[in-house]
Amino acid sequence: GELLHTASPLLEKQYHPTVIVKGYMKALDDAVKIVDDIAFPIEVNNREQMLKLVQSCIGTKFTHRFGTLISELALDAVLCVATDLPNGQKEVDIKKYAKIEKLPGGSLEDCHVLKGVMFNKDVVLPGRMKRKVENPRIILMDCPLEYKKGENQTNVEITKEEDWAALLKAEEDWIEGVCNSIIKFKPDVVVTEKGLSDLAAVYFARAGVSAIRRLRKTDNNRIARASGATIVHRADEIRESDIGTRAGLFEVKKVGDEYFTYIVDCEEPKACSVILRGASKDVLNEVERNLHDAMGVARNVVQEPKLVPGGGAVEMAVAKALQDKAKSIEGVESVPYLAVAAALEVIPRTLAQNCGANIIRTLTKLRAEHAGGNDTSGIDGNKGVVVDMKDLGVWEPYAVKVQTFKTAIESAALLLRIDDIVSGITKKQGGPSGGPSGPQVEDHENVDSERQLAE
């Protein structure tokens, strides 16, 4: 918005939008280089530094009063699901592999990140299947373990009573065959996304296998990542390598009125569940939102481990560097180039405004600090004074900051290229200067509720 605002005086002076856009884009390239120079690397495994960073993201939120609890949960979850790609980058998919489970009851201090996954299911036959298995062998499937119905209407004519028995026997034999092809791999836990008939459950119970049915696809993917299993599509395609053996414990626990299955103590799990406990649903929802923000910050830093100072310090440093550089640019492009520098100062100005400080004095002091070569000076959002962000410990992820600059400048350039918007600005300001020429009558269709009577 500020970039468009600084562009309007240039448009009035008959600068062509293409010239302005060119200057803006040049400024963007230089701004990214300047941020690169200011940024410094962070060691992702340095827990204390990472906690400080995530803490500055939730400093103004509801969960701030609980100390570093949420920051630690977010950091543990993100480091758990981070995987190295072959091209040297990191993939952190917190949406798919870090599930937040909200369980009402208990206190907030009971929140924790599991070294594995948890889901709201119980075994199929609670009385006859084991609810606790140590070092389980897990088979994951996404096919039904029950007899298939005919695809369209199937009529069977039976003349003798024995034929009916033979028909039922055929169904039972088929299910038994499927169960045996699974049981021969000696699994302790069988999980399927589809249905599992009572008969199959009985066969599994006899073989000492705990079975879970109708699990969500997303939960199944998480178990696969945590236990090292591969999801199998047909019972006769199971191989030894598809069985998950990395889990340390399979256990079904009762929390409140419901049963929850825990597959935990995994070796190097690449998926996790974050358990949130709290007095009421409203508290849990608020904690979940805060945790989501914190996990986003942690993910950005793990993917690109670089930091820049917060509190408007970067914007001010970039603005100053652009102003210095504009002197070396020849021709008309230096004017829009300077306009970007002026527009960037809106961030520290708004910060000063929000905390009720004297805007002009604070900004002048901040400019003087940056002119003296102190790049990390910014505004303390609580007190409204100029401080060194290194001492205050307010940092922002490099990736977010660069993306903000790119989005702002590119959006402004996009809008400036549209003729009607440009002419709309000029028409608005170039309208008739005098008052209305005659009495203005408003009917009910064109009533302007915004217009105020002259005092």
Side-chain angles (χ1 to χ4, degrees):
E2 192 67 19
L3 285 161
L4 287 173
H5 182 68
T6 51
S8 61
L10 303 179
L11 291 166
E12 281 172 24
K13 290 178 188 164
Q14 302 300 311
Y15 273 83
H16 195 277
T18 317
V19 175
I20 301 175
V21 168
K22 229 176 185 176
Y24 274 16
M25 285 310 179
K26 203 165 192 174
L28 172 61
D29 293 343
D30 290 345
V32 172
K33 282 177 198 156
I34 297 158
V35 178
D36 276 345
D37 296 342
I38 300 171
F40 68 94
I42 178 175
E43 185 53 54
V44 177
N45 299 325
N46 182 338
R47 194 170 174 80
E48 196 182 323
Q49 235 183 339
M50 290 289 281
L51 279 177
K52 255 188 186 171
L53 171 70
V54 181
Q55 196 61 22
S56 67
C57 140
I58 56 167
T60 53
K61 296 191 170 79
F62 166 76
T63 47
H64 181 57
R65 65 193 75 176
F66 304 112
T68 58
L69 173 75
I70 295 297
S71 313
E72 288 185 5
L73 290 179
L75 194 54
D76 289 343
V78 168
L79 290 176
C80 175
V81 299
T83 51
D84 294 316
L85 295 175
N87 59 4
Q89 290 182 320
K90 273 191 182 302
E91 181 197 43
V92 186
D93 196 338
I94 49 179
K95 197 172 177 184
K96 258 191 195 166
Y97 299 118
K99 176 89 184 287
I100 299 173
E101 296 279 1
K102 298 176 288 193
L103 306 182
S107 68
L108 265 167
E109 284 72 43
D110 301 337
C111 298
H112 57 283
V113 176
L114 291 176
K115 278 187 71 178
V117 291
M118 163 214 146
F119 44 91
N120 184 353
K121 281 270 181 264
D122 192 5
V123 290
V124 182
L125 296 177
R128 299 180 56 186
M129 289 181 174
K130 286 181 279 193
R131 278 199 171 139
K132 185 172 183 182
V133 182
E134 289 186 5
N135 299 326
R137 287 164 61 83
I138 299 174
I139 290 184
L140 303 179
M141 313 189 69
D142 66 352
C143 56
L145 299 177
E146 53 194 353
Y147 197 73
K148 291 192 194 78
K149 292 192 179 75
E151 288 195 9
N152 42 22
Q153 204 170 357
T154 314
N155 291 333
V156 181
E157 284 190 19
I158 294 174
T159 50
K160 297 202 295 287
E161 197 180 322
E162 294 82 46
D163 292 354
W164 176 243
L167 204 66
L168 291 179
K169 183 89 174 70
E171 286 191 13
E172 288 177 15
D173 289 349
W174 185 83
I175 288 178
E176 188 178 4
V178 169
C179 290
N180 286 340
S181 63
I182 294 172
I183 290 166
K184 71 179 183 205
F185 286 96
K186 299 189 177 59
D188 298 303
V189 180
V190 172
V191 179
T192 177
E193 291 171 27
K194 305 285 195 301
L196 186 145
S197 68
D198 295 343
L199 189 63
V202 171
Y203 285 129
F204 282 143
R206 277 186 203 154
V209 177
S210 300
I212 289 171
R213 65 183 166 195
R214 297 203 177 91
L215 187 72
R216 281 203 199 106
K217 179 119 193 117
T218 49
D219 285 337
N220 215 5
N221 288 339
R222 266 192 294 278
I223 302 174
R225 282 270 288 232
S227 66
T230 310
I231 297 175
V232 187
H233 308 298
R234 280 172 55 181
D236 45 10
E237 287 178 358
I238 301 174
R239 295 192 306 271
E240 182 61 38
S241 57
D242 297 332
I243 297 173
T245 52
R246 292 213 309 249
L249 179 67
F250 162 83
E251 188 175 11
V252 179
K253 289 185 194 166
K254 191 172 186 184
V255 180
D257 301 334
E258 298 185 58
Y259 286 95
F260 289 90
T261 301
Y262 290 79
I263 296 176
V264 288
D265 297 342
C266 304
E267 301 165 33
E268 296 185 14
K270 290 296 170 204
C272 64
S273 292
V274 185
I275 310 290
L276 295 184
R277 306 299 309 265
S280 69
K281 278 191 177 166
D282 296 334
V283 171
L284 282 174
N285 288 338
E286 184 57 38
V287 173
E288 183 191 21
R289 282 191 288 272
N290 294 177
L291 179 62
H292 202 271
D293 294 346
M295 276 160 63
V297 171
R299 183 195 62 190
N300 288 338
V301 177
V302 168
Q303 279 181 329
E304 182 124 20
K306 277 174 154 184
L307 292 187
V308 292
V314 176
E315 284 81 3
M316 209 63 190
V318 172
K320 178 189 166 290
L322 289 180
Q323 280 164 355
D324 295 348
K325 205 155 186 190
K327 293 166 191 166
S328 62
I329 292 176
E330 294 175 3
V332 274
E333 280 175 25
S334 62
V335 182
Y337 194 91
L338 272 171
V340 175
L344 285 174
E345 289 188 6
V346 72
I347 302 285
R349 190 186 322 137
T350 312
L351 260 175
Q353 205 170 350
N354 284 352
C355 52
N358 183 325
I359 300 171
I360 298 171
R361 278 187 187 166
T362 313
L363 272 183
T364 313
K365 191 176 177 191
L366 188 59
R367 274 196 202 104
E369 286 276 337
H370 279 268
N374 189 353
D375 281 346
T376 52
S377 284
I379 293 171
D380 180 345
N382 292 329
K383 299 176 185 161
V385 290
V386 175
V387 287
D388 192 329
M389 287 294 143
K390 267 187 186 160
D391 305 338
L392 197 61
V394 175
W395 301 104
E396 292 185 44
Y398 161 85
V400 175
K401 190 56 79 183
V402 169
Q403 192 55 47
T404 314
F405 284 174
K406 283 182 181 169
T407 312
I409 293 179
E410 283 170 9
S411 308
L414 181 83
L415 291 171
L416 281 170
R417 281 200 174 104
I418 302 169
D419 295 349
D420 288 352
I421 292 181
V422 174
S423 58
I425 296 173
T426 42
K427 266 184 200 160
K428 206 171 176 185
Q429 275 137 8
S433 53
S437 51
Q440 286 196 325
V441 182
E442 287 184 351
D443 57 19
H444 63 282
E445 284 172 2
N446 66 351
V447 173
D448 185 1
S449 57
E450 299 292 318
R451 189 186 298 145
Q452 295 177 336
L453 294 168
E455 288 183 7

